[in-house]
Amino acid sequence: ATTKHVVVNWDISHITVNRDDYNLRRAIGVNGKLPIPPVEATVGDTLELNVHNGLDRPTTIHAHGLFQTNNTHMDGPAMITQCGIPPGDSFTYHYTLEQAGSMWLHGHLAHEISDGLRAAFIIRDKPGAELYHYDKDYLLTFEDWFSTEFADRMYHTINPKEEFPPPKSYAYGLVNGVNGNITQTLNFEPGKTYRIRLVNMGDINSFQFSLPGHEMYVIEADGEYSVPYFTDGIDIGPAQRYSVLIKAHNTDAFNYYFNATMHANFISASPGLSPRVYTGKIEYSADAPYQDTRAFYEKPDFKWLNDIEMHSASGHPAMVPNRKLYLEIGNNLYNTGQHLDHINNITF
């Protein structure tokens, strides 16, 4: 198949939105919209991402998951591979797409990612080169969304006179850019096989995904194909991406709910605040009832994904290390009265 030159234009600016169905707030959008539409291309294509910075501060864009072989100057981390794009200026990113998988694009300066500057980036195999067969491809993106901007939350978080976590740090969960309980329905047809891409574009929260009443096989982790791995549920940390294959039932007698529970282990459980449970619909027939699957979560052999058990589909052996690095990661109380994380006693 002929490769393409894909051009995407992003005009980044502040907008006012209500994404969680509760809070109207200032956020960062692209072309006046939020959520930002997914960027899609095919292996072999070149992607030209034209970014205009309409914010009042610098910005950069990182293509999360791309290897960027011989292209590190396009990687995006501010003050590491490039200077920030000044307000009112533009910058063009060029990517040669050599790998298939579920990636994402996000801001990489001043935590603009947390205020909305993030979008799924799907690179498909060339036609006929797919490793696994499926009839349809669905995308589910997960985000934690806060009622205030990141800068405000940071002030309250590092202020030694305030409790941690501050009340405003409890987020709402978004699925495909909207409140997780009102996200789009996924339509299944009996006997067909579906690939569902799961992309956590969140800030600090993980999402536990499961689809009761169906067998689920993981076939991709962070942009790399894997040997099919059976699981009942996947705990998806921030920035992680998985794809699962699900074979639809041979009957449309029942519809089902998928579950996406947002949680953070370092935030104390609080009823109604953390964790938050979201459900979406898998519809076989508009006239069918929804199956009661509560017993699914109570079965003693419920299997969560353990990614250390997974194997790469490429069959390449693990690389043999020839160097050791020692990192001490911790959190200490400093003389400022603040609890700060550190790596080798250097705070970030």
Side-chain angles (χ1 to χ4, degrees):
T2 303
T3 58
K4 296 183 296 183
H5 181 72
V6 180
V7 179
V8 177
N9 298 312
W10 277 13
D11 185 0
I12 300 172
S13 65
H14 283 115
I15 61 174
T16 301
V17 291
N18 180 352
R19 303 190 70 198
D20 54 27
D21 215 28
Y22 295 98
N23 300 287
L24 185 68
R25 52 154 289 193
R26 191 175 81 150
I28 298 176
V30 165
N31 302 333
K33 297 179 180 180
L34 201 61
I36 303 167
V39 174
E40 301 190 30
T42 302
V43 171
D45 290 349
T46 56
L47 173 65
E48 176 183 317
L49 178 63
N50 299 308
V51 175
H52 175 74
N53 182 10
L55 301 172
D56 55 4
R57 57 179 186 263
T59 190
T60 64
I61 299 298
H62 172 58
H64 197 115
L66 286 193
F67 295 150
Q68 298 286 20
T69 305
N70 299 320
N71 199 46
T72 53
H73 58 292
M74 291 288 165
D75 198 38
M79 312 315 296
I80 298 176
T81 61
Q82 73 169 101
C83 296
I85 307 169
D89 277 11
S90 299
F91 185 84
T92 297
Y93 294 90
H94 296 277
Y95 310 125
T96 299
L97 306 180
E98 301 174 339
Q99 58 192 114
S102 307
M103 319 298 180
W104 59 305
L105 298 162
H106 62 80
H108 215 295
L109 180 59
H111 232 281
E112 292 161 346
I113 178 179
S114 181
D115 291 325
L117 189 49
R118 50 197 182 191
F121 180 20
I122 306 303
I123 307 173
R124 304 188 186 281
D125 289 289
K126 293 180 179 179
E130 298 90 349
L131 188 60
Y132 299 106
H133 168 76
Y134 48 90
D135 297 293
K136 190 168 183 177
D137 191 337
Y138 280 118
L139 169 66
L140 293 178
T141 61
F142 304 101
E143 301 172 70
D144 47 6
W145 188 249
F146 296 85
S147 60
T148 58
E149 293 182 58
F150 174 80
D152 181 67
R153 300 199 318 278
M154 176 58 75
Y155 169 79
H156 290 286
T157 300
I158 65 175
N159 187 338
K161 296 181 180 180
E162 299 205 20
E163 63 176 339
F164 181 84
K168 294 181 180 179
S169 67
Y170 294 105
Y172 292 90
L174 308 181
V175 180
N176 284 351
V178 299
N179 182 295
N181 288 323
I182 59 173
T183 192
Q184 70 185 75
T185 298
L186 306 186
N187 294 298
F188 276 21
E189 294 183 34
K192 291 194 173 182
T193 299
Y194 294 87
R195 176 179 183 169
I196 302 181
R197 300 175 187 264
L198 310 170
V199 180
N200 185 351
M201 306 191 304
D203 190 14
I204 61 173
N205 284 272
S206 297
F207 284 82
Q208 294 176 337
F209 176 84
S210 58
L211 177 48
H214 295 76
E215 289 191 352
M216 185 162 63
Y217 290 88
V218 180
I219 60 162
E220 179 206 2
D222 293 339
E224 288 292 314
Y225 280 121
S226 68
V227 174
Y229 178 102
F230 171 77
T231 188
D232 290 313
I234 306 175
D235 196 4
I236 313 166
Q240 288 189 308
R241 298 96 61 209
Y242 293 97
S243 283
V244 296
L245 287 185
I246 297 174
K247 178 71 177 295
H249 296 304
N250 291 322
T251 172
D252 61 1
F254 290 99
N255 296 321
Y256 296 82
Y257 291 102
F258 68 79
N259 175 280
T261 298
M262 186 181 72
H263 71 102
N265 293 337
F266 52 86
I267 297 179
S268 300
S270 180
L273 297 174
S274 180
R276 293 190 195 267
V277 179
Y278 297 94
T279 56
K281 297 178 179 180
I282 302 292
E283 184 176 284
Y284 282 82
S285 169
D287 300 323
Y290 279 83
Q291 178 73 279
D292 185 349
T293 54
R294 285 173 291 183
F296 173 78
Y297 297 101
E298 300 169 359
K299 65 178 187 174
D301 58 346
F302 187 98
K303 180 176 176 56
W304 286 104
L305 169 69
N306 182 1
D307 53 12
I308 199 68
E309 298 174 349
M310 297 180 66
H311 296 279
S312 171
S314 70
H316 294 163
M319 297 179 67
V320 178
N322 56 16
R323 181 186 179 196
K324 293 183 179 180
L325 297 176
Y326 295 92
L327 300 177
E328 179 186 352
I329 301 174
N331 181 287
N332 290 335
L333 177 63
Y334 289 80
N335 56 15
T336 60
Q338 299 168 306
H339 284 273
L340 298 176
D341 294 336
H342 66 83
I343 300 177
N344 289 351
N345 210 31
I346 300 174
T347 60
F348 291 88

